[in-house]
Amino acid sequence: MNKPLEIAALSGAEATVEMLRAHGVEVVFGLCGDTSLPLYDALQRSSLSHVLTRDERHAAYMADGYARVTGKVGVCEGPSGGGATYILPGLVEANESSVPVLGINTDISVSSRNRFTLTELDQKSLFKPLTKWNAVIDRAADIPRTFRQAFEAMTSGRPGAAHIGLPFDVQNGPVERADVWGDPSLGAFPSRRTSPDPEAVALAARMLRKAKNPLFICGGGVVLSGAEAELCALAEKLNAPVATTISGKGSIDERCAHSVGVVGSNGGTPQTRAVVDAADLVVFVGCRAGSVTTERWRHPAPGAARIIHIDADPQVPGRNYQVDVPLVGDAKLALAALLEAVTAREGDLTPVDVQKREKFAAFEALAKSDETPIKPERVVFELQRILDPDAIVVADPGTPCPYFSAYYQVKGAGRRYFSNRAHGALGYAMAAAMGAHIGRPAVKTVAVMGDGSFGMCVGELETAVRLKMPVTFIVISNAVYGWIKAGQKAGYGARYFSVDFGVTDHARVAEAFGVRGFRVTDPSQLKSVLKKAIEIQGPSLVDIVCQPLHEAKAPVSEWIA
Ligand SMILES: Cc1ncc(C[n+]2csc(CCOP(=O)(O)OP(=O)(O)O)c2C)c(N)n1
């Protein structure tokens, strides 16, 4: 017989809220719907804050940006049907970027299944291949353990996204209060760190001792794991250079002598490639050695360097390169173990210094140009001069990502710059920056996007205004899907096709939402306008009429080829 209802003191919706709180969640990003009414009623009575967004995709991107800067699980929610299909892109990006984001979609009642009910959708199948872990809950009593499993899956091993489907009648069903508990340490990542095999560590240390030109290439794993101090100490002890992927920016203070900057085909330059090619030992750290980082597995060239590969995911080392020593474990623990095991070596960073000087000399020549339309280099240069070192910059694909990845120098270690590198979907930066601002409100946050991206996220300007967010949005405006047009130039004889669109005055659009808008066409005005926009207490937008990528020369030809 069922227990009397007095014991089952919580409804499913209340238990959901309590399970989030038990894991340290403070904020939920999302958008309402019919099937979410019980959940919203429970949220209304709780201490959780709720950020109402204008699109579920952006709720997920906000949760992603929030998670990246706080080290805590980001949570987003939406209703059934379209709410689920709209939230999906954000979960996909987070999952592939190893960022713990929990997506909750409410759903039609279990009792309404298979009856042509409006918004019915197989959420379990939809999210299964795209998240690290997912479930649709059939009984309210299963809510506590389902949430516990989701948090454990998201934050342990390689972090990732999880999804939970929460039917309407499940939200109204009974849950025993005593079962509503969670391990708060699973609300932050990485939880349950593991160390690599000590024998493999000893082998790697020996290999590092023998190497003439060792090089670290760090992916997102260093910042995700909080391993910046261990990396820096190891690089100093070995006097070895440290390069990063785009997601790895923040692994090391880019002003320091050991830092090489970003390598690869979206932000790497001939100079950073030369450093990779000179290495006789590459240590990949929390890095998948994917197509962009390695320029399609050509740099490092297979066999040209010995490989040590540190990763929390055992499936990563050896996937793309023949690995001499796989170190499977958390980056912080693995680097600490290596630091213990290696002996100091002399090492000469002069060649790295020469390459860096050459790279930035070429950049500055363009960055100081007074030509119109404004060169993207100038945008990076002026912003770099204005922003405080602790500011957060989020870059969209198109012009922003390669230019900022290459030339915007992260001052200090930790997450201060990021882009959506798993799928590179346009329209990520605005919402991700808003999530980042909520996670780290004391610092300035800036989103840089192309006008193609702007068209995909403009609705969230209303959210920024409603919540009075002092985030600055920068639009690189060129009335073209520039990256693709540049590809048509590089590879298809400049037979341009269906890549140009009309000019929009983004500053006026911003003003219509209540955002302070500025439009810049003259390079000499850029610095003062950016400064003014950044100092505004609420949201601001700077529309910068820029040179399109297909008209740029170096290094864009390298990136597009
Ligand atoms: C959702 C999505 N659709 C299509 C693409 C393919 N794509 C990559 S870059 C790009 C052009 C970007 O245009 P814009 O945002 O205007 O920036 P620009 O390249 O002009 O600087 C496109 C269409 C994508 N990355 N994401």
Side-chain angles (χ1 to χ4, degrees):
M1 202 182 111
N2 286 341
K3 290 180 183 170
L5 260 177
E6 306 85 86
I7 300 175
L10 296 180
S11 72
E14 288 165 341
T16 298
V17 168
E18 289 310 313
M19 286 308 294
L20 295 176
R21 279 173 20 89
H23 290 94
V25 175
E26 290 170 322
V27 55
V28 176
F29 303 89
L31 201 157
C32 51
D34 307 46
T35 50
S36 307
L37 288 168
L39 178 64
Y40 270 54
D41 198 44
L43 282 168
Q44 192 270 338
R45 287 178 275 115
S46 81
S47 63
L48 292 183
S49 58
H50 186 265
V51 173
L52 173 66
T53 66
R54 301 301 301 273
D55 175 332
E56 292 84 351
R57 181 162 48 112
H58 299 120
Y61 289 158
M62 285 182 206
D64 171 326
Y66 174 88
R68 288 189 203 230
V69 305
T70 58
K72 291 174 62 176
V73 172
V75 181
C76 54
E77 60 81 23
S80 54
T85 55
Y86 278 25
I87 217 167
L88 181 137
L91 293 195
V92 175
E93 176 61 39
N95 196 48
E96 287 299 309
S97 288
S98 306
V99 175
V101 169
L102 173 61
I104 301 169
N105 281 102
T106 57
D107 202 356
I108 59 158
S109 288
V110 175
S111 59
S112 303
R113 285 183 187 160
N114 302 314
R115 303 182 67 188
F116 307 120
T117 303
L118 182 71
T119 75
E120 181 166 11
L121 178 83
D122 183 353
Q123 293 190 17
K124 175 79 185 158
S125 301
L126 180 66
F127 288 96
K128 188 168 173 35
L130 303 170
T131 52
K132 188 174 175 197
W133 189 92
N134 78 312
V136 173
I137 304 179
D138 294 336
R139 299 185 318 147
D142 294 337
I143 287 174
R145 73 175 167 76
T146 307
F147 275 82
R148 283 193 285 271
Q149 270 183 284
F151 276 92
E152 196 273 332
M154 282 186 286
T155 59
S156 64
R158 181 176 86 80
H163 182 265
I164 293 177
L166 195 61
F168 186 86
D169 48 5
V170 169
Q171 295 171 59
N172 291 324
V175 180
E176 283 190 28
R177 192 179 280 276
D179 197 20
V180 179
W181 55 269
D183 174 354
S185 73
L186 296 178
F189 58 93
S191 67
R192 303 185 177 170
R193 298 175 191 261
T194 55
S195 290
D197 180 347
E199 276 183 30
V201 172
L203 206 60
R206 273 206 298 280
M207 207 171 272
L208 277 163
R209 203 174 310 138
K210 286 193 197 139
K212 283 201 178 65
N213 283 319
L215 167 71
F216 290 88
I217 301 183
C218 302
V222 172
V223 176
L224 286 171
S225 146
E228 300 91 342
E230 287 76 8
L231 174 72
C232 181
L234 186 57
E236 281 175 1
K237 193 167 181 185
L238 295 169
N239 219 11
V242 177
T244 76
T245 69
I246 296 165
S247 300
K249 252 172 123 73
S251 301
I252 186 165
D253 185 331
E254 289 186 307
R255 293 168 300 183
C256 94
H258 299 86
S259 168
V260 174
V262 166
V263 296
S265 55
N266 197 295
T269 64
Q271 295 82 12
T272 57
R273 181 189 299 141
V275 175
V276 175
D277 289 345
D280 66 339
L281 169 63
V282 170
V283 186
F284 286 112
V285 191
C287 170
R288 298 193 296 187
S291 62
V292 171
T293 301
T294 61
E295 303 189 56
R296 300 198 69 77
W297 310 285
R298 290 179 301 211
H299 305 280
R306 306 197 83 179
I307 306 285
I308 297 171
H309 203 143
I310 301 173
D311 207 281
D313 182 349
Q315 297 200 338
V316 169
R319 181 78 71 94
N320 287 327
Y321 285 92
Q322 189 177 349
V323 171
D324 294 280
V325 187
L327 294 179
V328 176
D330 170 69
K332 189 179 178 78
L333 298 187
L335 290 170
L338 268 182
L339 182 62
E340 230 358 80
V342 294
T343 41
R345 69 184 272 288
E346 285 281 303
D348 179 12
L349 293 170
T350 319
V352 172
D353 186 52
V354 169
Q355 295 294 351
K356 271 186 351 191
R357 280 176 196 280
E358 193 181 296
K359 166 179 152 175
F360 280 102
F363 164 71
E364 281 186 22
L366 297 167
K368 289 179 179 160
S369 161
D370 281 327
E371 276 174 50
T372 52
I374 297 170
K375 290 191 186 300
E377 287 88 349
R378 180 113 189 199
V379 181
V380 181
F381 183 75
E382 302 295 8
L383 203 59
Q384 179 93 65
R385 292 206 290 173
I386 295 166
L387 287 177
D388 287 338
D390 59 4
I392 299 168
V393 174
V394 188
D396 258 325
T399 302
C401 183
Y403 281 93
F404 276 79
S405 298
Y407 304 120
Y408 182 81
Q409 285 193 291
V410 171
K411 297 175 185 150
R415 181 83 74 200
R416 288 144 202 250
Y417 171 89
F418 62 95
S419 185
N420 52 335
R421 288 316 302 164
H423 286 259
L426 303 180
Y428 165 86
M430 181 183 284
M434 289 160 67
H437 164 71
I438 288 175
R440 223 185 267 171
V443 306
K444 180 71 200 180
T445 299
V446 176
V448 193
M449 66 202 78
D451 40 8
S453 277
F454 179 84
M456 297 200 190
C457 60
V458 49
E460 294 304 333
L461 287 178
E462 185 281 322
T463 310
V465 171
R466 180 167 22 94
L467 297 182
K468 302 185 178 60
M469 291 184 182
V471 177
T472 298
F473 307 109
I474 295 177
V475 184
I476 306 280
S477 192
N478 52 22
V480 60
Y481 287 122
W483 181 263
I484 307 303
K485 189 164 186 173
Q488 291 178 345
K489 182 181 183 188
Y492 294 86
R495 291 184 295 281
Y496 298 130
F497 175 72
S498 219
V499 283
D500 294 296
F501 49 81
V503 175
T504 300
D505 185 334
H506 303 99
R508 285 183 62 198
V509 174
E511 290 281 350
F513 276 95
V515 172
R516 282 291 304 279
F518 303 84
R519 187 170 168 83
V520 194
T521 54
D522 177 355
S524 67
Q525 302 286 309
L526 186 58
K527 187 177 175 204
S528 62
V529 173
L530 281 172
K531 197 162 181 318
K532 206 189 242 175
I534 276 159
E535 283 166 1
I536 285 170
Q537 289 307 303
S540 58
L541 182 144
V542 186
D543 190 27
I544 307 174
V545 179
C546 271
Q547 180 189 50
L549 282 163
H550 70 283
E551 287 173 11
K553 293 186 181 75
V556 102
S557 50
E558 295 274 340
W559 293 336
I560 298 287

